[in-house]
Amino acid sequence: MDIRIFNNTEEIAAAASEIIISKVKSCPDAILGLATGASPVATYKKLIAAYEAGVISFKDVKTFNLDEYCSIPATDKNSYYTFMHENLFNFIDVLEENVHVPNGNPENAEEYCAAYDESIKNAGGIDIQVLGIGRNGHIGFNEPSDAFTAGTYKVKLTESTIEANKIYFESENDVPREAITMGVQSITNAKEIILIAEGKAKAQAIHDMIKGEVSPSCPASILQKHNNVHIFIDKDAASLL
Ligand code: GLP
C-alpha cells in the first residue's frame, strides 16, 4: 500500500488528481471508477481545472460509479447521479453515454446488477478506482458483514451509514435504507485504487483497514491484498496508525 499522509485537502487532491490526470494523458480512453461523498470533491475540482486548462480531455473516457441510493429517482437532489453531475460531469467534456451511475430503482435488481458488472468488464475493466471510506470501514456501500461481497448488488444500509448520510437529507426518514453498490470483488478488480479520507471520524476505519486483519468486518481491509493501492489521508485520519 502506498500510504501518504498530507497536511490538508488541497494536498490530497493534488496527489490524487495527478495520478488520474497522468493516466488520462497516457490513456485518453481510460475507464475511471468514481465515488461520491465529500472525500473526492476537491480531487474532482482539480480534474475540472485540468480540463479547463486544456491539459486533458474526457471525451473518450468512460466512468462507472460505485453506488446509488434506492427509492429516490436519479433526478433527486440527493441522488449520486445528481452529485456526480454537479461535482464533475457538468464541467468536463465526458459524454453522457459514457457515464454510468447505477440505476437505484431497477425493475429486476439481480439482472440489472449483473449487467452493470458486465458493462464494466466489456469496457475493459476499471483502470483507476477512486474510493472514500465509511466510518465503519465500508467501501462503496459494502457494509461490515460476515463475508466479502462479489459483484454489484442491492444492499441494506446500516444505521451508522444512515446516520452519517442524514446531513444531506431534510429528515432522517428521508435517508434511503437501501442502495445498489458495486461489490468488494468488483471494486478490487480495478487495476489501481486511490482511497481518500480525512478527519478524526475516519481514524478507526483507517486503522482497521491498514493495521487490522483482512476481514469483512472492515470491508476496506481487503485493500491490503491489492497490489496497486494509494491511501491518501490527512493527519487526523492517520491519528490511530
Ligand atoms: C457513502 C458512500 C461511499 C463514501 C462514504 C464516505 O457511504 N457510499 O462511497 O466513500 O459515504 O463519504 P464521505 O467522503 O462523505 O465521508
Side-chain angles (χ1 to χ4, degrees):
M1 282 177 155
D2 163 34
I3 301 165
R4 293 189 233 167
I5 299 164
F6 295 97
N7 290 311
N8 53 46
T9 309
E10 177 67 20
E11 286 183 15
I12 293 176
S17 61
E18 192 186 303
I19 294 174
I20 300 168
I21 290 166
S22 89
K23 171 61 74 182
V24 174
K25 267 190 194 159
S26 65
C27 177
D29 58 354
I31 312 296
L32 301 180
L34 300 176
T36 52
S39 306
V41 168
T43 298
Y44 294 158
K45 284 207 169 79
K46 298 240 179 242
L47 297 183
I48 295 167
Y51 161 69
E52 285 172 346
V55 175
I56 45 169
S57 164
F58 293 86
K59 73 178 173 44
D60 295 321
V61 166
K62 289 197 177 83
T63 69
F64 288 89
N65 261 79
L66 281 172
D67 46 16
E68 178 61 283
Y69 287 122
C70 298
S71 80
I72 57 172
T75 50
D76 191 279
K77 69 178 170 48
N78 284 310
S79 76
Y80 286 171
Y81 177 89
T82 300
F83 179 97
M84 287 309 302
H85 284 78
E86 288 180 348
N87 286 284
L88 182 63
F89 300 149
N90 288 350
F91 306 100
I92 58 175
D93 60 346
V94 69
L95 302 178
E96 184 63 27
E97 72 219 49
N98 287 338
V99 159
H100 306 85
V101 179
N103 172 4
N105 302 291
E107 255 171 51
N108 180 328
E110 219 168 294
E111 271 175 26
Y112 175 79
C113 291
Y116 194 74
D117 284 326
E118 198 58 26
S119 57
I120 295 174
K121 207 168 129 201
N122 290 340
I126 290 171
D127 291 305
I128 300 184
Q129 176 68 56
V130 177
L131 283 184
I133 185 170
R135 295 173 201 181
N136 59 6
H138 76 227
I139 46 175
F141 268 133
N142 292 282
E143 301 282 27
S145 71
D146 297 339
F148 285 114
T149 56
T152 300
Y153 67 108
K154 186 171 180 172
V155 64
K156 280 198 185 350
L157 304 179
T158 62
E159 282 310 315
S160 133
T161 299
I162 292 166
E163 172 70 26
N165 292 346
K166 78 176 185 201
I167 51 164
Y168 299 106
F169 292 84
E170 258 117 67
S171 88
E172 194 174 332
N173 285 340
D174 295 338
V175 188
R177 266 47 187 173
E178 292 179 316
I180 301 289
T181 183
M182 276 165 60
V184 167
Q185 182 70 57
S186 357
I187 294 172
T188 52
N189 280 342
K191 292 158 199 152
E192 186 169 6
I193 294 175
I194 307 171
L195 184 142
I196 298 170
E198 287 175 78
K200 282 229 154 42
K202 301 288 174 72
Q204 189 65 51
I206 292 295
H207 169 273
D208 295 351
M209 169 177 73
I210 295 172
K211 295 258 165 97
E213 60 171 326
V214 176
S215 155
S217 62
C218 175
S221 64
I222 194 78
L223 299 181
Q224 291 178 29
K225 302 257 184 215
H226 196 284
N227 61 10
N228 198 1
V229 179
H230 311 275
I231 310 287
F232 293 170
I233 53 182
D234 70 353
K235 290 181 176 150
D236 283 341
S239 57
L240 297 177
L241 291 178

